[in-house]
Amino acid sequence: RNASIVYDTSSSSMVGYRCLSHVTTSAGVRLPGNIDLEGTPFESIPTGIAALTKIPGAGFVQILAFVGLLELSVMKDVTGEAEFPGDFRNGYIDFGWDTFDEDTKLQKRAIELNNG
């Protein structure tokens, strides 16, 4: 069976992470300690868009630098061995992927896309 799936892997994954993050912080789960050297506790940072006004500028710089590091060096096909867009195993981690037949691989990729 020949099937082609075209999708944006980074957007679907990030939507799921953002949703989980919002649900977690709305439930009151916070990191212990302070978000900055001035002593602002993580608990004082609100959830959702309101947090954007409370996170210190240096925090945004750290977040952007970390995301940039992931995009430029980790979340890409370094070895050229990718089977499909979004395959970032790079010959290292496969968790049994190579033992699946093509139909099972296609089904599991569809499940991942549907879950975001």
Side-chain angles (χ1 to χ4, degrees):
R1 170 169 106 178
N2 254 344
S4 177
I5 299 176
V6 178
Y7 56 92
D8 180 3
T9 56
S10 61
S11 294
S12 62
S13 298
M14 290 309 297
V15 168
Y17 294 134
R18 284 181 242 155
C19 180
L20 180 62
S21 172
H22 185 69
V23 168
T24 303
T25 55
S26 293
V29 178
R30 304 298 172 95
L31 292 172
N34 301 321
I35 195 169
D36 59 15
L37 296 176
E38 284 78 36
T40 307
F42 281 104
E43 296 169 349
S44 70
I45 305 296
T47 60
I49 294 178
L52 297 177
T53 61
K54 302 294 183 184
I55 296 176
F60 277 119
V61 171
Q62 289 176 346
I63 291 168
L64 291 175
F66 181 65
V67 169
L69 173 74
L70 290 176
E71 289 289 333
L72 295 174
S73 62
V74 177
M75 300 299 290
K76 65 180 185 175
D77 179 21
V78 178
T79 62
E81 300 173 2
E83 290 183 34
F84 51 87
D87 179 8
F88 302 131
R89 293 175 294 153
N90 293 312
Y92 178 64
I93 299 174
D94 96 3
F95 298 113
W97 180 260
D98 294 333
T99 63
F100 299 137
D101 61 34
E102 290 305 313
D103 286 339
T104 303
K105 288 181 180 181
L106 188 61
Q107 177 189 17
K108 291 194 174 288
R109 286 174 45 202
I111 291 168
E112 177 63 24
L113 287 173
N114 289 330
N115 288 335

